[in-house]
Amino acid sequence: MKILLIEDEPSVSSFIKRGLEEHGFEVQQAFDGDTGFRLARQGLFGLIILDLILPHKNGMEVCRELREEGHKDVPILMLTALSTTSDLVAGLEAGADDYLRKPFKFQELLARIQALSRRRQIMPNNRKLRVANLEMDLDGKTVTRNGKEITLTAKEFNLLEYFIRNKGRVISRNTILEQVWELDFDTGTNVVDVYVNYLRKKVDKGFSPKLIHTVIGMGYVVKEN
């Protein structure tokens, strides 16, 4: 697989490139946001590793603009020294698929890459999902309810898909973190609650019946009544 590595620190970039090439990956480097964005939009890469703080165009802008241009299938792994929940949410909201805090061990980076690669290769048999009057088109990456199109970010889309595939099942916050984000979050993070709130505002507010329900002390469930 060919990986685009957008990282402005030469020592970090060289360390990552050398390790990935030893594991059989082909790596192309970019050392600023503008160059990385130009390369990424060519669509030649199976995965993008993107630092958050970059010259000329920061990682958040690169990620958001790529997703807005329609490059939604390539996984983006964001690297950052920032560690608050708001930083994490902002990166995922921009369209990142995963988030790795610096400093990190190479084996952790490799595990994240392999997990993202497996997720990309899995093609579910059912490419349209439905619950009540809400429909998801997994190929077109669209969501409609009562015929009205609803715009979701990449992470909101993934979360809703997971909920619908597990319709009627109460899912804990920890399970959602493991299955949707595949991240090892610090205990106490509220990123799941933040994203569930985002989804409710988009897919439940103004519609009937309500689909996303809280089960106090246990987690969340999607059901029709």
Side-chain angles (χ1 to χ4, degrees):
M1 180 171 65
K2 189 171 184 180
I3 293 175
L4 175 60
L5 172 59
I6 311 174
E7 165 63 65
D8 66 317
E9 296 183 40
S11 60
V12 175
S13 183
S14 296
F15 164 73
I16 294 173
K17 183 175 188 292
R18 183 170 60 253
L20 291 178
E21 288 179 341
E22 288 175 357
H23 284 80
F25 295 99
E26 181 182 352
V27 181
Q28 183 162 351
Q29 293 166 289
F31 296 95
D32 64 80
D34 282 340
T35 302
F37 180 69
R38 287 199 304 271
L39 290 170
R41 67 196 311 208
Q42 294 174 9
L44 303 176
F45 302 94
L47 184 138
I48 297 171
I49 300 174
L50 175 63
D51 189 31
L52 180 60
I53 301 174
L54 294 166
H56 307 313
K57 187 191 294 283
N58 67 43
M60 207 78 74
E61 293 170 323
V62 172
C63 187
R64 184 178 296 108
E65 290 176 21
L66 282 173
R67 296 313 194 201
E68 288 174 351
E69 282 196 0
H71 302 280
K72 296 183 178 181
D73 291 331
V74 57
I76 296 178
L77 172 59
M78 190 169 282
L79 306 179
T80 181
L82 305 176
S83 59
T84 67
T85 298
S86 60
D87 297 321
L88 170 62
V89 170
L92 297 172
E93 185 73 11
D97 296 278
D98 205 343
Y99 194 102
L100 186 58
R101 296 184 180 100
K102 295 179 177 179
F104 55 82
K105 295 181 179 179
F106 179 78
Q107 288 303 319
E108 184 179 7
L109 173 66
L110 186 62
R112 300 290 179 85
I113 291 171
Q114 291 170 339
L116 287 171
S117 298
R118 287 195 300 270
R119 187 191 304 172
R120 189 185 189 205
Q121 291 167 2
I122 295 172
M123 296 295 289
N125 293 328
N126 186 0
R127 303 304 295 167
K128 287 191 177 181
L129 303 178
R130 176 180 286 275
V131 56
N133 50 9
L134 183 145
E135 183 177 284
M136 297 188 75
D137 183 334
L138 302 182
D139 290 322
K141 301 296 183 185
T142 59
V143 175
T144 57
R145 188 156 189 193
N146 279 345
K148 179 182 178 181
E149 186 165 347
I150 298 170
T151 301
L152 300 180
T153 66
K155 190 55 63 179
E156 289 167 352
F157 190 94
N158 292 342
L159 177 58
L160 182 60
E161 178 184 349
Y162 182 70
F163 273 144
I164 295 177
R165 288 190 181 280
N166 291 275
K167 182 175 64 173
R169 173 189 168 201
V170 178
I171 309 171
S172 71
R173 290 169 177 80
N174 285 341
T175 299
I176 294 169
L177 288 172
E178 292 171 2
Q179 297 300 317
V180 178
W181 277 274
E182 295 186 6
L183 293 172
D184 182 17
F185 285 86
D186 295 334
T187 302
T189 181
N190 65 342
V191 68
V192 170
D193 305 285
V194 169
Y195 269 83
V196 169
N197 188 47
Y198 289 160
L199 271 185
R200 279 179 164 148
K201 289 179 178 178
K202 292 184 177 183
V203 306
D204 267 350
K205 187 176 181 180
F207 296 102
S208 182
K210 302 304 179 188
L211 299 177
I212 304 172
H213 303 269
T214 301
V215 181
I216 296 174
M218 300 180 68
Y220 296 101
V221 60
V222 163
K223 57 183 180 178
E224 298 182 20
N225 51 52

